[in-house]
Amino acid sequence: MKAGYSSTVKEFLDCNPDTVVGVLSQKIASSGISQQHSKQINVWNQQVEVLKNTFNEIAQSISHVGDWTLVLEYPIPRRQKRPDALVLTDNMVFVIEFKFGATEYDAASRWQAEDYALNLRDFHAESSGRVIVPVLCATDARPIDEHVYRLNGSLVAPLFRANAATRGTTLGTSYRILKESCNTEKLDASTWLSSVYRPTLTIIEAAETLYENHSVRDISHNYAENLSATTDMVAQAILSAKAEKKRTLILITGVPGAGKTLTGLNVVHDPSIRSKQGPSGIFLSGNGPLVKVVREALVLNEQKAGRRRNEAEHEVSTFIQNVHQFLRYHRENCGAVPHEHVVVFDESQRAWDRRQMKRKQAVDYSEPFELLSVMERTPDWSVVIGLVGGGQEIFLGEAGLGEWGRALQETTCNWNVIASPEVISGGSSVAGHRLFEHGVPTELAFTSEPLAHLTVSVRSHRAQKITDWVNQLLEPNSAAACKSFPVTKEFPLFVTRSLSDAREWLRLRSGGDLHKRCGLVCGSEDQRLRAYGLENSTSFRSGYAFEKWFLSSPDDVRSSYTLEVPATEFECQGLELDWVGLCWGGDLTLDEKRSSWVYRKFRGSKWQYCHSEVEKGYVRNRYRVLLTRARAGMVIWVPLGCNEDSTRPPEWFDRIYEHLRNAGVPKLSTFKEKVL
């Protein structure tokens, strides 16, 4: 759909208001909305009147205002959102949100205007590098004396507020203040209006897009330039393995949300890659909830297109499979040769070690070793692609990166290894873990490939700086975390002691928008959240339809929007929400000196201490996962505890709250006082 109305300011001023409203009505109706309520028509009439008066006022001090372009009801693709008005000046963009009759600049309206501006900055090609100015016009609110703002590196100005009397002064003054910070290249309105817009997709949306025969190149954006380059590198390695009849292991690393899963999905499903590599690839994951959710999303997508459910389920099941079931089949049918020459193992750091395989599968080798052995059965060549997350081993027997190094040394086949430099150096993206404890074995064909490391989060541009802060936070030294705390309105992050306030904040941010999903997350070990009405026992979670939690609309009580059932690290690893409410538990608190973490697990009716370093690592990684699930913003709820309940002593949670505050996290009451 095109904009409802666009013209130069001069043409707009010369045009009859009824004509402008008539064009808006006709354009909106042609987009599929058959009727316009009289209330909307009235709003447009008021809007046109205010804008005419505004531009006439600005023209008294800015002579070339008539050359600017006015855009009304500009559609933001896939978001079902339309800013009320955009003003394209000679080199900057104003985003104006009108609230007629409003007597205050409420938080929801302020965020609405800011969010429009941030979306344009992040994903609208012709807005890249431009100064973008969000303006909220609450017509009946009191006047605000705006400060002379200096732009920071984001190029999005702080929100300007205006009422019916000050709207012209606000636009004119802000234009004069900010024009020196603008890109000197002239803004061409027609080019801007036809610009490409590529919003960040969730993993679920990305899978749906890929399944419709699009490429990862269509879903990436300018903050993920190496995503396509990494895909090309992998595709070339596959062709080389096929041509030279080699066995190749590729290990890809990246910060949380950097696009590892998107790259893996693309490699096995991109038609252009599959047509060259020959036999199809397969996407494997040991993350059962992720497999279940993405499969269900794809099936529902196919059903909407008219496919029968059973047919869609059959086809989708060949695209994404559970790695444990894949290996079990080839173990029980030891002569079976995989049809696929290429396999992608998502979250490969969670592969089981030898002890866990012996316990679960009664075999005396690790999961990485078995996968390499199975893929050695394919004629002539094979490629295994491991997508490695850092510090996210969250359960007993998840071996981590080192198990892949041991498997390479134990297998009888000569595997060529192409890997991110991070797996050798033990970089931050792999939380200090290494592929080989004592360096690369001399007999191994090893290539260190920088393109195998994805450096920038595509989960959300706004969430990129959170990862470093989380790593610092999970060290007891909160001073270091405070230095790295991303002080920005673009990724709101608050802490509160009130669960009801956290829920209110999440509902305000999501607003029932299907593309702004909110939800609660918590650690799987804290069974005492039950005291606050949050059930997360294993038996409860195993019977809960988390695919509905992730996929259903706000009117479905099973959806995440209800904020009744929290997802644990097991349900949400590899997936994400726009707005996250993290419920901090008693499994990770600080000692009395606030110098060391205390690690616990709940058994029966009591907490038990975790003594082994492996168990402690699982607890830390649990929170690393939970703290990096948000795409747009997060609120952390720290319970008050209860003096009468020995499993919830207040001092445990007081220390955590203090740790978060010392690490830079503002309290939610500050948000209410300064923003509401």
Side-chain angles (χ1 to χ4, degrees):
M1 170 185 152
K2 301 294 184 183
Y5 173 90
S6 64
S7 73
T8 66
V9 168
K10 183 180 184 304
E11 291 169 340
F12 170 71
L13 289 174
D14 292 340
C15 189
N16 186 293
D18 291 339
T19 301
V20 176
V21 174
V23 171
L24 284 169
S25 299
Q26 184 178 10
K27 284 286 186 70
I28 300 301
S30 67
S31 71
I33 303 173
S34 59
Q35 295 181 350
Q36 291 299 319
H37 295 295
S38 58
K39 182 179 179 181
Q40 179 63 66
I41 300 296
N42 183 51
V43 167
W44 282 335
N45 279 314
Q46 294 181 75
Q47 199 170 294
V48 169
E49 180 183 1
V50 169
L51 287 168
K52 280 182 175 287
N53 292 334
T54 298
F55 290 128
N56 281 322
E57 183 178 337
I58 295 174
Q60 297 176 20
S61 59
I62 302 175
S63 58
H64 62 282
V65 67
D67 297 330
W68 295 357
T69 297
L70 171 66
V71 184
L72 302 178
E73 300 292 339
Y74 175 76
I76 295 182
R78 294 197 319 102
R79 290 302 192 242
Q80 298 177 332
K81 297 279 189 177
R82 295 193 300 270
D84 289 334
L86 301 173
V87 179
L88 311 179
T89 74
D90 43 356
N91 55 6
M92 74 174 74
V93 180
F94 284 91
V95 183
I96 307 173
E97 181 64 23
F98 289 99
K99 297 298 177 184
F100 289 99
T103 58
E104 60 180 12
Y105 307 99
D106 66 276
S109 299
R110 293 179 64 169
W111 173 247
Q112 189 176 5
E114 291 175 338
D115 193 42
Y116 289 151
L118 292 169
N119 269 277
L120 291 174
R121 183 203 68 182
D122 291 348
F123 309 119
H124 185 273
E126 287 300 315
S127 294
S128 178
R130 300 281 181 191
V131 169
I132 304 173
V133 187
V135 178
L136 172 61
C137 182
T139 58
D140 296 347
R142 60 184 175 83
I144 296 289
D145 291 329
E146 299 286 0
H147 299 288
V148 178
Y149 290 107
R150 298 290 180 184
L151 282 179
N152 55 28
S154 75
L155 292 179
V156 171
L159 182 81
F160 282 80
R161 289 162 290 181
N163 59 19
T166 62
R167 75 279 178 223
T169 303
T170 298
L171 263 66
T173 302
S174 57
Y175 171 78
R176 287 188 291 272
I177 291 172
L178 299 172
K179 65 179 181 180
E180 294 181 0
S181 305
C182 291
N183 187 326
T184 55
E185 183 180 350
K186 185 175 176 59
L187 189 156
D188 182 80
S190 61
T191 303
W192 191 97
L193 286 166
S194 60
S195 175
V196 174
Y197 185 93
R198 294 176 177 173
T200 307
L201 301 186
T202 66
I203 293 297
I204 294 168
E205 291 173 320
E208 292 173 344
T209 302
L210 290 170
Y211 207 67
E212 292 169 351
N213 293 324
H214 296 289
S215 160
V216 75
R217 296 165 181 78
D218 300 321
I219 63 178
S220 62
H221 51 69
N222 60 330
Y223 293 105
E225 293 177 355
N226 62 342
L227 203 59
S228 292
T230 299
T231 301
D232 291 338
M233 179 274 293
V234 173
Q236 185 56 48
I238 292 172
L239 294 177
S240 176
K242 181 181 179 182
E244 300 174 23
K245 297 183 178 180
K246 297 187 298 185
R247 311 285 179 188
T248 299
L249 171 66
I250 305 172
L251 295 175
I252 297 174
T253 62
V255 299
K260 299 183 294 293
T261 300
L262 299 188
T263 301
L265 288 168
N266 197 55
V267 165
V268 300
H269 200 265
D270 187 333
S272 64
I273 296 177
R274 293 179 67 175
S275 64
K276 296 176 182 177
Q277 74 185 32
S280 63
I282 186 173
F283 184 91
L284 301 175
S285 177
N287 186 340
L290 181 143
V291 171
K292 195 171 185 179
V293 169
V294 176
R295 275 186 178 179
E296 178 66 13
L298 294 176
V299 168
L300 292 174
N301 198 50
E302 288 295 287
Q303 283 187 288
K304 291 177 183 177
R307 297 283 301 279
R308 291 168 54 189
R309 183 176 178 90
N310 57 354
E311 292 177 351
E313 286 177 337
H314 174 74
E315 185 172 338
V316 168
S317 67
T318 65
F319 172 38
I320 299 178
Q321 293 187 21
N322 185 288
V323 67
H324 307 308
Q325 296 172 358
F326 175 85
L327 291 178
R328 183 182 297 113
Y329 170 81
H330 288 93
R331 185 186 314 125
E332 295 172 351
N333 299 272
C334 55
V337 176
H339 170 69
E340 304 84 4
H341 281 243
V342 178
V343 298
V344 175
F345 190 167
D346 194 26
E347 302 288 354
S348 56
Q349 79 282 356
R350 294 186 63 188
W352 289 347
D353 61 15
R354 176 174 292 182
R355 180 177 298 179
Q356 182 73 345
M357 286 288 282
K358 199 166 188 177
R359 182 185 302 111
K360 291 284 190 178
Q361 307 290 349
V363 295
D364 193 24
Y365 40 73
S366 70
E367 205 163 45
F369 179 85
E370 183 174 28
L371 181 59
L372 294 178
S373 300
V374 167
M375 294 310 295
E376 288 170 7
R377 301 179 193 174
T378 59
D380 299 330
W381 69 281
S382 55
V383 176
V384 175
I385 302 162
L387 309 177
V388 184
Q392 296 194 14
E393 302 80 31
I394 57 178
F395 193 61
L396 181 68
E398 294 178 358
L401 187 56
E403 194 62 51
W404 287 90
R406 288 186 285 273
L408 286 167
Q409 294 175 283
E410 292 172 1
T411 182
T412 57
C413 183
N414 295 320
W415 283 82
N416 297 278
V417 180
I418 300 172
S420 159
E422 294 273 298
V423 307
I424 299 302
S425 65
S428 60
S429 72
V430 290
H433 296 181
R434 288 178 169 82
L435 181 62
F436 301 107
E437 186 177 354
H438 303 294
V440 180
T442 55
E443 69 276 10
L444 189 69
F446 183 89
T447 301
S448 179
E449 175 54 73
L451 287 175
H453 178 61
L454 296 167
T455 58
V456 181
S457 173
V458 298
R459 177 173 297 147
S460 167
H461 171 59
R462 307 172 197 178
Q464 287 178 25
K465 297 180 181 179
I466 292 297
T467 302
D468 290 338
W469 176 77
V470 168
N471 288 335
Q472 294 289 346
L473 179 73
L474 292 177
E475 299 296 329
N477 183 5
S478 56
C482 187
K483 290 180 180 179
S484 64
F485 183 75
V487 182
T488 172
K489 291 193 300 181
E490 298 179 32
F491 189 94
L493 173 55
F494 296 99
V495 62
T496 181
R497 309 304 298 272
S498 167
L499 180 57
S500 61
D501 284 355
R503 284 170 165 152
E504 178 186 358
W505 186 82
L506 290 168
R507 291 188 180 108
L508 173 68
R509 288 304 196 184
S510 64
D513 185 346
L514 290 175
H515 296 291
K516 297 292 183 183
R517 182 171 289 275
C518 66
L520 299 176
V521 300
C522 70
S524 60
E525 279 293 337
D526 191 355
Q527 305 306 312
R528 295 307 298 137
L529 289 174
R530 183 180 297 154
Y532 306 97
L534 300 176
E535 179 62 58
N536 70 334
S537 64
T538 303
S539 58
F540 172 81
R541 295 189 343 257
S542 63
Y544 195 81
F546 275 98
E547 65 273 22
K548 304 296 183 186
W549 192 91
F550 275 105
L551 299 173
S552 295
S553 59
D555 57 1
D556 190 327
V557 295
R558 298 168 295 180
S559 76
S560 64
Y561 291 100
T562 61
L563 304 176
E564 292 179 353
V565 175
T568 73
E569 70 274 16
F570 295 111
E571 287 81 40
C572 67
Q573 187 175 45
L575 296 165
E576 62 272 318
L577 302 166
D578 292 293
W579 301 100
V580 165
L582 169 57
C583 308
W584 202 286
D587 51 341
L588 184 64
T589 62
L590 291 166
D591 62 12
E592 293 182 3
K593 296 181 180 180
R594 295 167 173 77
S595 59
S596 300
W597 288 113
V598 178
Y599 305 89
R600 302 182 185 88
K601 53 189 176 182
F602 198 80
R603 296 293 182 268
S605 62
K606 297 180 180 179
W607 287 102
Q608 298 178 1
Y609 291 107
C610 299
H611 296 291
S612 76
E613 290 304 314
V614 172
E615 280 190 302
K616 292 178 181 179
Y618 291 149
V619 178
R620 275 196 311 275
N621 291 343
R622 176 183 307 145
Y623 280 86
R624 200 187 312 275
V625 170
L626 297 173
L627 286 161
T628 55
R629 292 308 94 194
R631 290 158 50 87
M634 175 169 56
V635 58
I636 302 172
W637 167 58
V638 180
L640 291 170
C642 178
N643 284 315
E644 289 73 35
D645 185 345
S646 62
T647 65
R648 297 182 289 135
E651 57 268 23
W652 289 6
F653 302 102
D654 291 344
R655 293 171 199 154
I656 282 295
Y657 179 75
E658 182 181 332
H659 179 63
L660 289 166
R661 294 286 288 119
N662 290 338
V665 186
K667 57 184 179 180
L668 198 59
S669 59
T670 301
F671 161 78
K672 288 185 172 184
E673 292 163 4
K674 292 187 176 182
V675 179
L676 283 177

